Amino acid sequence: MRYLRLWRRFFAQAVVRETHYRAHFLTTLLVGLVQLGLGIVPTLLLFGFTEEVHGWSRAEVIALVGVYQVITGLMATFIAPNLNRMTSYLTEGELDAVLLRPVSSQFYLTFRWINVAELSNVASGIIVLAFGLVQSGLTPSIGQVLQSIVLATCGLVLLTAVWSAMVYLAFWLQSVGPIGVVYLNLVEAGRYPLTFFPVPVRSFLTFVFPVAFATTYPVQALSGSLGWGSVALGIGLSAIAVLLIRLLWQRGLRTYASASS
Amino acid sequence: MKRNLRVLQRMIAAEVAQQSIYRGAWVIFMLANICTPIISLLIWRTALANGARLPVDQRYITTYFVLLGFATMATSSWMAGFLANDIRLGKLSSWMIRPASLLIGFVANNLSEKFLKLFALVPMIGLVWWIFRDSMNVPAGAGRWALFFVTLALGAILVFTIDILIAAFAFWMDDVSALVQARVIIGSVLSGSVVPLALMPEWSRGFIDYQPYRYTVSFPVEIVAGNLSGSELLTGLGVQLGYVVAVGLLARVVWAAGIRAYSAVGA
């Protein structure tokens, strides 16, 4: 509860900050729109050559691109500004000041900074999702929408956990700037339905780099082809991931030897 | 010219020594570099296997995407932002009093980083090649491979001069980062780094085939992956050379005008 109140403060401060940099908001919006447009080009070209791929129609894949845009927008708003700072937290010794604060250091490092402008990508993603749903003629029930939201949330938690694990390597490697680039390139796989990949890659994208929970499963839930079993699996995996990431953080912290002393 | 080359040689050696400290980072960067082509490769192979009627076959798609990562790395340039900063902040002045070309530092940086990236990238491409060895198009003669490397080199020069051109706008503008970003985004689609240009719709053919970005990445890869006829090869090579010369001259004129307009900050 205290953490929720604290996070609300972070958010309010970020909104105030954003109003100082209005041009930044505009360029983020423009770049986001262009990237969304370009990201959809391969999908449109692909469905120019065929009607459906493994049971996915063009409209359903467009809905999936919308979900992808929402998820990556949320990650870019709430998670990326924090995890991208990991190297400087460790090499500049900024972590010292964090450890002294009366809050969980891991909470603070994961949620402190918020890039409000990226929320514009979430908005454009919702529009694309709605467009895709209307085009495909899907009318999800309340239960299916609920399933979808729970699965997308699991996807967010899982992606955050995997990305965190990648940047926590900084405790042992010192500099992890390039690892963020690997994450961003791998997450691109979420633009496409899981079944577009060969079977071994599917397991990789479900259990190792679980982008499937962020995009494919939520859309499948909306189209009604997913049971509560997958939801349970998502929640279970998320719980395990959070647990593991807590342990990894504690292990890493033990090797931290402050930059100044 | 000869002195410039000697200076360049020394600077490359120095850069290589400096940059090899970050060898771990290069490996990770190259890993990221081949992620996107591999994802695209898997998607398009699935589409083909699923009965999509593409204008190219599976061998073309596979060869194209396996070599794509190498071609984008070999022809890349990342200096526009840095050079623009040097111009804006007046750092260019310290280069102007040196007894060699202003841009030689950037050439040395470009070549040495690519040299180091090769060590990380080639084994990865080799592994992917081995996995897909059954559907790779391997041209019989050494001629096509020689052309591949020649056109890659020309493509690298073209990208580099486009970057000079864009950075030179910093002589007159305060912030060129939007221009740089636009170049990257437009280039990624028109150069064939996202989707092979062969898959672009029919109505865009005339434009797609002759716009400059095709000659930065796509054309060299097409030489190996596709079945460009002899005449198509010659036209392509001619167009590419034309662009290298034209953009080179343009960059020279704009750069010279910029230097005259340059008023070093802090001087």
Side-chain angles (χ1 to χ4, degrees):
Chain A
M1 212 50 224
R2 187 165 75 94
Y3 283 98
L4 213 62
R5 237 178 21 238
L6 203 56
W7 186 81
R8 266 209 341 248
R9 284 289 173 80
F10 294 160
F11 191 75
Q13 190 222 17
V15 171
V16 172
R17 254 174 64 89
E18 196 59 41
T19 56
H20 292 199
Y21 303 103
R22 267 158 288 186
H24 170 247
F25 186 84
L26 202 67
T27 45
T28 309
L29 177 72
L30 280 178
V31 169
L33 284 180
V34 173
Q35 275 170 345
L36 174 64
L38 286 183
I40 228 165
V41 164
T43 306
L44 292 182
L45 282 174
L46 182 69
F47 282 97
F49 298 112
T50 178
E51 291 293 309
E52 56 96 36
V53 178
H54 284 305
W56 286 75
S57 69
R58 181 209 310 254
E60 283 165 338
V61 179
I62 288 178
L64 184 125
V65 172
V67 174
Y68 173 82
Q69 181 82 357
V70 172
I71 297 285
T72 48
L74 287 173
M75 294 292 287
T77 310
F78 298 108
I79 307 296
N82 301 286
L83 296 185
N84 283 336
R85 280 166 212 247
M86 198 62 195
T87 300
S88 86
Y89 272 125
L90 290 183
T91 53
E92 312 279 321
E94 288 167 20
L95 188 57
D96 294 12
V98 177
L99 292 176
L100 291 175
R101 290 170 195 261
V103 289
S104 151
S105 50
Q106 194 174 15
F107 164 80
Y108 187 90
L109 249 70
T110 317
F111 297 111
R112 171 63 185 89
W113 301 103
I114 297 166
N115 185 355
V116 181
E118 290 284 350
L119 282 178
S120 59
N121 288 325
V122 178
S124 61
I126 291 174
I127 294 172
V128 174
L129 170 62
F131 178 78
L133 285 181
V134 171
Q135 284 261 304
S136 63
L138 288 176
T139 43
S141 67
I142 299 289
Q144 286 162 353
V145 173
L146 192 68
Q147 276 185 348
S148 171
I149 292 175
V150 173
L151 280 165
T153 312
C154 291
L156 275 173
V157 173
L158 285 166
L159 283 179
T160 307
V162 170
W163 197 359
S164 297
M166 284 163 91
V167 298
Y168 291 169
L169 289 177
F171 280 117
W172 295 275
L173 302 175
Q174 311 309 331
S175 166
V176 288
I179 288 187
V181 185
V182 174
Y183 167 82
L184 286 177
N185 278 285
L186 274 178
V187 104
E188 293 273 316
R191 281 183 194 285
Y192 305 97
L194 195 58
T195 52
F196 281 29
F197 293 96
V199 176
V201 180
R202 281 182 217 169
S203 336
F204 176 80
L205 293 176
T206 310
F207 297 106
V208 184
F209 192 86
V211 73
F213 283 97
T215 60
T216 302
Y217 291 152
V219 176
Q220 279 186 326
L222 284 179
S223 68
S225 49
L226 221 56
W228 286 98
S230 320
V231 180
L233 178 68
I235 295 175
L237 279 178
S238 304
I240 294 172
V242 170
L243 211 67
L244 285 177
I245 207 70
R246 290 287 302 166
L247 285 175
L248 187 65
W249 173 255
Q250 280 154 13
R251 272 303 284 277
L253 218 47
R254 250 180 276 151
T255 73
Y256 177 65
S258 181
S260 48
S261 51
Chain B
M1 186 67 199
K2 212 168 153 203
R3 187 172 61 192
N4 269 334
L5 274 180
R6 225 172 42 236
V7 174
L8 180 65
Q9 204 185 354
R10 283 296 170 81
M11 290 184 74
I12 290 179
E15 282 267 346
V16 168
Q18 222 176 63
Q19 299 292 348
S20 55
I21 299 170
Y22 307 106
R23 48 193 180 274
W26 293 130
V27 174
I28 297 173
F29 267 129
M30 290 302 102
L31 200 62
N33 184 47
I34 61 164
C35 281
T36 318
I38 291 181
I39 291 172
S40 308
L41 170 61
L42 297 175
I43 295 300
W44 285 101
R45 277 173 72 101
T46 304
L48 269 173
N50 207 51
R53 292 172 305 278
L54 306 188
V56 290
D57 61 359
Q58 197 198 29
R59 299 183 81 87
Y60 182 95
I61 291 285
T62 311
T63 316
Y64 188 93
F65 280 117
V66 170
L67 290 181
L68 183 63
F70 182 77
T72 45
M73 188 286 277
T75 60
S76 60
S77 165
W78 48 89
M79 70 139 176
F82 294 99
L83 180 55
N85 258 346
D86 282 6
I87 294 171
R88 192 166 53 87
L89 302 175
K91 284 186 193 159
L92 206 59
S93 310
S94 67
W95 287 101
M96 287 172 107
I97 52 168
R98 295 187 192 199
S101 165
L102 273 178
L103 296 169
I104 219 162
F106 287 103
V107 179
N109 174 263
N110 188 287
L111 293 178
S112 57
E113 285 196 13
K114 281 177 187 170
F115 173 73
L116 289 170
K117 285 173 182 172
L118 274 184
F119 289 100
L121 186 60
V122 169
M124 292 181 200
I125 301 263
L127 181 67
V128 181
W129 187 322
W130 182 78
I131 293 173
F132 292 105
R133 62 192 176 283
D134 290 335
S135 41
M136 288 288 289
N137 256 345
V138 186
R144 291 246 162 181
W145 285 107
L147 264 180
F148 173 67
F149 288 108
V150 170
T151 49
L152 267 187
L154 286 172
I157 295 172
L158 185 56
V159 176
F160 196 77
T161 39
I162 291 175
D163 257 19
I164 296 177
L165 202 57
I166 288 172
F169 279 97
F171 283 117
W172 300 278
M173 290 165 62
D174 277 339
D175 186 11
V176 296
S177 60
L179 269 181
V180 174
Q181 202 152 24
R183 206 274 294 173
V184 170
I185 292 177
I186 295 171
S188 69
V189 172
L190 290 184
S191 69
S193 320
V194 178
V195 183
L197 296 183
L199 297 177
M200 290 289 178
E202 207 50 51
W203 50 264
S204 64
R205 240 351 61 228
F207 166 73
I208 289 290
D209 282 352
Y210 291 102
Q211 45 88 22
Y213 282 105
R214 176 177 175 222
Y215 299 91
T216 59
V217 176
S218 176
F219 183 60
V221 183
E222 284 171 40
I223 291 179
V224 176
N227 22 18
L228 292 179
S229 66
S231 68
E232 280 172 325
L233 262 178
L234 276 181
T235 344
L237 208 56
V239 175
Q240 190 182 32
L241 269 174
Y243 272 125
V244 170
V245 172
V247 178
L249 284 177
L250 190 63
R252 215 189 151 82
V253 171
V254 174
W255 181 258
I259 292 280
R260 276 197 298 278
Y262 177 63
S263 54
V265 179

